[in-house]
Amino acid sequence: MSKILYTAQATVSGGRGDGHGETSDGALAVDLRMPAELGGEGGGTNPEQLFAIGFAACFEGALGAVARRTKAELGDVSITSRVNLHPTPERSFALSVEMDVTLPGVPDAAAAADIVRAAHEVCPYSNATRGNIDVTFTANGAAV
C-alpha cells in the first residue's frame, strides 16, 4: 500500500451484544447493544449504525472533493444511509448499503447522478466495498 495519511484506532470489548467501544483519542465512546429487531434489548448502538454513519460521512467528503474539482455548487448536502444485514445460504451474514444523496444545488438529474458516480470512485468506503457488497445510490430521489 501507499503512504498512510491517517490511522484511526478503536478498542472494543464485549462485542456487539453487550460491549463498549472507544477511540484511542477518547472522542468517541459507545455502548454496543444488539438491536431489538435482532432479539436484543437495544439501548446502545451497533456496528451497522456505525458503518452507516461512517460511510455517509466519508461519502459526503468525497462529494465535496468532486465539487471542488468540477467547480460544482452542491448546496446543503444530505445523505441518508441504510446498512442492511442479510442472512446468507451458508449460514453467515452479509451487508448491503443504500445511499440516498440529496444535492439541492444540482437540480439537473443527470448532473446530480454524474456527481454521485464520481464521488463513488473517490470515496474510500466505496472503494473498500466495491465488489464485496451491494451498494445502491439515489441522487435527488432518482436511481443512479
Side-chain angles (χ1 to χ4, degrees), residues 41-106:
E41 294 181 15
T45 194
N46 60 66
E48 293 77 24
Q49 290 171 324
L50 294 168
F51 190 74
I53 289 172
F55 200 158
C58 189
F59 199 79
E60 188 164 349
L63 288 166
V66 169
R68 285 187 298 281
R69 292 174 187 171
T70 63
K71 308 282 192 256
E73 291 293 329
L74 304 182
D76 190 13
V77 174
S78 174
I79 301 171
T80 299
S81 174
R82 287 180 294 285
V83 173
N84 307 300
L85 180 65
H86 307 269
T88 70
E90 299 82 20
R91 297 180 54 133
S92 72
F93 299 93
L95 298 174
S96 66
V97 176
E98 303 166 43
M99 302 277 277
D100 295 329
V101 180
T102 302
L103 306 172
V106 187

Side-chain angles (χ1 to χ4, degrees), residues 14-52:
R16 70 179 290 139
D18 189 24
H20 182 80
E22 189 166 335
T23 57
S24 59
D25 64 1
L28 176 64
V30 294
D31 290 326
L32 301 167
R33 300 294 181 265
M34 185 73 72
E37 296 87 345
L38 295 177
E41 294 181 15
T45 194
N46 60 66
E48 293 77 24
Q49 290 171 324
L50 294 168
F51 190 74

